[in-house]
Amino acid sequence: AIDTGTMITPYVGVAIGQKNKSTIDFPFWVGELGAKVALGDASVGYNFRRRTAFDNNATNAFDTNEQTVSLGYQVTKNDKIALAYKQERRNDHVSSEYNTRGVFLTHSF
């Protein structure tokens, strides 16, 4: 997170991982960027995530973009509840679309 001194907090993230399937394993990378807007105890957020295999080929077809919109509420100092809607789209030769909705509870220590 990047402290801007305003109600808007942008963030950037990068990660690497390992996809483990029953037939194949391969490494991948993830890049994310987004922002949260604080509205008192409530918040609104947007996140864009790009995920792809290092060696993205027909066997390792793992190339997706995901966008998330969320609405959260700080219930207590350590507990937050959020509703999120996610759209994931594949960028490779396999046509695939996922739309996900969820309720998330986060507890911070």
Side-chain angles (χ1 to χ4, degrees), residues 64-75:
T64 62
N65 290 334
E66 181 180 274
Q67 297 184 70
T68 303
V69 177
S70 62
L71 177 61
Y73 185 77
Q74 198 72 39
V75 180

Side-chain angles (χ1 to χ4, degrees), residues 14-98:
V14 198
I16 58 171
Q18 181 75 23
K19 180 75 170 178
N20 296 312
K21 292 181 163 183
S22 59
T23 57
I24 190 168
D25 298 327
F26 56 88
F28 65 90
W29 63 268
V30 177
E32 292 189 24
L33 63 99
K36 292 184 181 176
V37 178
L39 308 166
D41 287 337
S43 63
V44 177
Y46 172 80
N47 174 279
F48 176 81
R49 181 191 76 182
R50 167 82 175 171
R51 179 180 62 180
T52 191
F54 283 106
D55 180 18
N56 198 30
N57 56 43
T59 306
N60 299 348
F62 196 66
D63 188 16
T64 62
N65 290 334
E66 181 180 274
Q67 297 184 70
T68 303
V69 177
S70 62
L71 177 61
Y73 185 77
Q74 198 72 39
V75 180
T76 68
K77 178 182 172 188
N78 297 53
D79 299 305
K80 183 176 184 176
I81 191 164
L83 303 173
Y85 175 72
K86 301 180 180 200
Q87 286 187 333
E88 182 178 298
R89 302 293 182 259
R90 289 185 74 148
N91 299 316
D92 48 30
H93 63 280
V94 179
S95 177
S96 176
E97 296 185 357
Y98 297 98

